[in-house]
Amino acid sequence: MNLSHYLLKHLDGSESQKELSLIIADIASAGREISHNVQRSGLLDLHGAAGGENVHAEEVQKLDETSNEIVKEVLADNEHILALASEEEESVVDCSEGKKTGFIAAFDPLDGSSNIDINMPVGTIFSVLPTTGNFEQDFMQPANHQVAAGYILYGSSTVMVFSAGKGVHEFTLDPETGEFVLTNENIKMPENSGYISYNPYVLYQMAPGRAKAYEELVKETGRSMRYVGAMVADVHRTLMKGGFFAYPAVGKDGKYKGKLRMQYEAKPLGWLAEQAGGKALLDGKPVNDILPEELHQKVSVELGDRGIMKLFGRLLAD
Ligand code: AFP
């Protein structure tokens, strides 16, 4: 079944669900275009830096820039997206002119940009929220207010994984037809399998007590470790295989701060992990209990299947 059929069949007939399916379909079409660019990035001269910094003082890559333009244009043209926020934009973009009802969307156009030039996985992450018309404030809603969230992963194949609140589903892009086809319905994170995934260097940069729990988790479970360095890919593996993914708060002298972006990475992917039966902590608190405070806020993320998160909780308490 392709994505359009699936959306028609599974979202109820309400006006807001119809609007949401048009948004999801448009995000898929942006993903199709970015997938095309990612696959040909070396040929299209899309490798390397674009020559500027983003709001996070990070060097913007050419593919970050073009991907941002693609998602921004597609969403701004969508009749039901009233405002958007991007990891690559300084502030909220109001695109409500001439539109009546709809939603707001936050996105990371290309997560894992350090992987671009070396042919490793990258992805687009998105989050869709209801709005009262006060756009800035509406991005501060907690994770469980999202009406849809997910990602498109450009890996050995391109997959779109999302939830609109009724299960987590995976669609694979068929390069022959250009259609996203349902390949996994109702994904549930398996327990007692999978990998442990964090950048080992964080052990020297994080609060010592928490670092001990990270190390003990590997020792107690005897699991292998895997780390792609693109949250979207590391979380995809954790959703499909189970296990643990984390980027803790790092720093020194008792001052520790998260690195991952609340709106564009942590909130959508943490919520998605819970929709797939797992558990996610942002800044050490359940993902749905945390209220964002600013657009470009950074947080720590610890997520995984229920079993491993229970063990992690016990190790933290020891
Ligand atoms: P980039 O998009 O700048 O490569 O950042 C990706 C990311 O935010 C996240 O996707 C990774 O999990 C994390 O950074 C990797 O960070 P380290 O290189 O510090 O491990």
Side-chain angles (χ1 to χ4, degrees):
M1 191 188 307
N2 70 26
L3 181 64
S4 335
H5 287 150
Y6 191 87
L7 292 171
L8 264 177
K9 196 165 157 208
H10 285 83
L11 296 182
D12 65 47
S14 69
E15 250 341 281
S16 68
Q17 291 276 290
K18 276 188 211 151
E19 293 175 0
L20 189 58
S21 28
L22 293 172
I23 293 167
I24 293 172
D26 270 356
I27 293 171
S29 79
R32 195 176 294 124
E33 203 175 326
I34 296 173
S35 177
H36 178 95
N37 286 346
V38 168
Q39 279 173 358
R40 289 161 187 80
S41 50
L43 304 170
L44 298 175
D45 190 27
L46 285 173
H47 278 170
E53 280 190 349
N54 65 12
V55 58
H56 311 279
E58 298 159 341
E59 194 179 56
V60 176
Q61 304 297 305
K62 287 184 197 164
L63 213 51
D64 281 329
E65 208 170 68
T66 57
S67 306
N68 189 49
E69 286 312 312
I70 291 170
V71 185
K72 206 167 100 176
E73 203 177 303
V74 163
L75 289 181
D77 277 355
N78 183 293
E79 242 187 289
H80 307 293
I81 287 290
L82 306 184
L84 41 96
S86 160
E87 183 177 308
E88 303 299 337
E89 300 284 327
E90 218 162 306
S91 44
V92 171
V93 178
D94 183 336
C95 46
S96 63
E97 207 184 313
K99 301 181 188 173
K100 290 189 189 109
T101 54
F103 299 89
I104 55 175
F107 61 93
D108 178 352
L110 207 70
D111 179 54
S113 21
S114 63
N115 280 347
I116 296 169
D117 295 357
I118 51 168
N119 214 4
M120 295 274 287
V122 287
T124 301
I125 306 172
F126 64 91
S127 152
V128 184
L129 285 158
T131 180
T132 58
N134 184 351
F135 303 137
E136 299 270 346
Q137 192 49 42
D138 291 342
F139 280 107
M140 304 307 138
Q141 295 177 81
N144 54 358
H145 283 203
Q146 291 170 116
V147 290
Y151 56 86
I152 299 152
L153 173 65
Y154 314 107
S156 47
S157 56
T158 293
V159 293
M160 178 170 184
V161 176
F162 72 92
S163 176
K166 291 179 195 150
V168 179
H169 316 297
E170 179 201 62
F171 294 81
T172 301
L173 181 64
D174 180 342
E176 306 260 304
T177 61
E179 297 271 13
F180 278 95
V181 180
L182 181 65
T183 41
N184 242 310
E185 200 172 5
N186 280 321
I187 296 168
K188 290 285 170 221
M189 249 193 235
E191 291 191 24
N192 303 314
S193 69
Y195 300 92
I196 291 178
S197 180
Y198 57 81
N199 172 350
Y201 187 60
V202 296
L203 294 178
Y204 308 107
Q205 300 175 297
M206 61 191 287
R210 221 168 179 88
K212 192 160 168 278
Y214 275 48
E215 286 181 306
E216 288 298 322
L217 195 64
V218 182
K219 278 193 214 151
E220 281 225 11
T221 57
R223 301 274 182 87
S224 294
M225 298 187 72
R226 294 280 187 279
Y227 189 69
V228 174
M231 184 188 185
V232 62
D234 284 314
V235 168
H236 182 67
R237 185 191 52 246
T238 311
L239 278 182
M240 306 306 282
K241 302 271 184 207
F244 178 79
F245 164 81
Y247 207 110
V250 293
K252 53 183 177 183
D253 305 329
K255 291 193 186 110
Y256 302 101
K257 243 183 124 331
K259 164 179 171 166
L260 300 182
R261 286 74 171 180
M262 163 70 95
Q263 304 286 352
Y264 322 109
E265 296 174 318
K267 192 160 96 176
L269 297 187
W271 179 76
L272 203 64
E274 297 229 338
Q275 294 294 308
K279 197 169 158 43
L281 303 174
L282 307 191
D283 281 347
K285 298 187 197 78
V287 58
N288 293 327
D289 290 359
I290 194 161
L291 271 183
E293 286 164 5
E294 46 179 304
L295 198 60
H296 294 298
Q297 184 178 350
K298 294 180 181 180
V299 287
S300 71
V301 177
E302 285 144 343
L303 61 82
D305 67 71
R306 287 265 151 187
I308 207 161
M309 289 304 283
K310 199 165 162 203
L311 173 61
F312 178 60
R314 182 166 67 66
L315 294 171
L316 277 179
D318 278 353

